[in-house]
Amino acid sequence: MKTTEGELIRAIRERVTRQRAHGDRIVRLGIGDDCAILRPPRGRELTVTTDLTLENVHFRRDWHPAQSVGHRCLVRGLSDLAAMGARPDAAFLSLSIPRELAGRWLNGFLDGWMLAAKRYGVVLAGGDTAEAPRAAKAGRALFAADVILIGSAPAGKALRRGGASAGDLVYVTGELGGAAAELRSLARNPAVDRKRDLKRHPHLYPEPRLQAGARLMARALATAAIDLSDGLSTDLAHLCQASGLRAEIDVSALPLAQGAALDDALHGGEDYELLFTARPGTRIPATIGGIPVHAIGRMRNRSREKNRPPVDLCTREGARVPLPPGGWEHFRGRA
């Protein structure tokens, strides 16, 4: 089905209009003019994050349904807001679309994106569209999406990576490794059941821990936080570096998802759970926002060994071994 850019923009605008009411708290003027106009909420600071979704990097057409691609495109950025305790308010979505995807596939993508936006309270306030260029020799054009997310948090209260202290306990929400395990299953059999189900598909339909992040921030429970997008070993190293510390993780305390191996939990990534630290005397609930919370380790003073990784893994046998970052890193790939 042939779709013009004007028809596409009108269709997106109609979708947004139908779910607009809850976004009036920040979006004064959305799609339809040269710029959007936002009204920052009084007493709150804006939080801004950007995220790219690239075909053959973040998804494959033969593995991922279009609705899953749209869902994941938005949720990846929402998870960044969750890690800071921020409330999502508005989004900007720019699309580079291969001509052959401009019909049914794109409608599926927008279905997934808009369903997630409605579920998590996000208004689409603008963006851009373009036809993706085809490679000069034989290669097909590839889809790309760029999302800018605007959130807000009470002034001076947003959670950050750099607030941990030596002695703080390390926690994670939910389970680890489920996304990596499902991705491995998709690689073996892309034809498995891939219908939209947030409980059964941690890779295809992940959930951002927005409610948990907001409660951690509102109750001043966490000293530092980050979302688990690149893998526990990598993201915890980021938190250690920002806080000037190291960490010890107890392998027996890691909450492995069903079907996940230890390597999935440590390095798999895309779980979009929250990793956070808290003072030893802080009472952390067993669940936050309906999501289980698990203590998995402790922050320590930085090692004097210059090249030692900032994270140690405490084995079931009582040994303490260095845990180098082994998650995803662009330009290097998985370690």
Side-chain angles (χ1 to χ4, degrees), residues 219-235:
R219 299 178 185 178
L221 297 176
T223 53
I226 189 172
D227 75 314
L228 292 177
S229 55
D230 296 325
L232 175 64
S233 62
T234 294
D235 291 319

Side-chain angles (χ1 to χ4, degrees), residues 160-171 222-226 232 235-250 275-280 295-303 310-312 314 320:
R160 300 178 63 177
R161 299 179 182 183
S165 300
D168 285 0
L169 300 181
V170 180
Y171 296 84
T223 53
I226 189 172
L232 175 64
D235 291 319
L236 180 53
H238 291 327
L239 189 148
C240 287
Q241 290 160 1
S243 294
L245 300 168
R246 65 185 180 91
E248 295 175 352
I249 298 302
D250 183 356
L275 171 73
F276 67 94
T277 59
R279 305 280 186 239
I296 62 169
R298 188 179 294 270
M299 303 300 291
R300 300 293 190 189
N301 287 317
R302 179 170 287 180
S303 173
V311 180
D312 285 338
C314 300
R320 184 179 287 108

Side-chain angles (χ1 to χ4, degrees), residues 161-245:
R161 299 179 182 183
S165 300
D168 285 0
L169 300 181
V170 180
Y171 296 84
V172 292
T173 61
E175 298 176 327
L176 304 180
E182 184 178 15
L183 180 60
R184 188 168 56 250
S185 178
L186 281 173
R188 289 195 303 263
N189 181 16
V192 298
D193 174 30
R194 299 177 296 171
K195 293 180 181 178
R196 186 177 187 270
D197 187 330
L198 277 61
K199 295 187 182 301
R200 293 179 54 206
H201 294 300
H203 171 76
L204 292 175
Y205 297 99
E207 290 196 80
R209 300 307 186 194
L210 289 161
Q211 191 175 22
R215 292 188 180 183
L216 288 172
M217 182 269 298
R219 299 178 185 178
L221 297 176
T223 53
I226 189 172
D227 75 314
L228 292 177
S229 55
D230 296 325
L232 175 64
S233 62
T234 294
D235 291 319
L236 180 53
H238 291 327
L239 189 148
C240 287
Q241 290 160 1
S243 294
L245 300 168

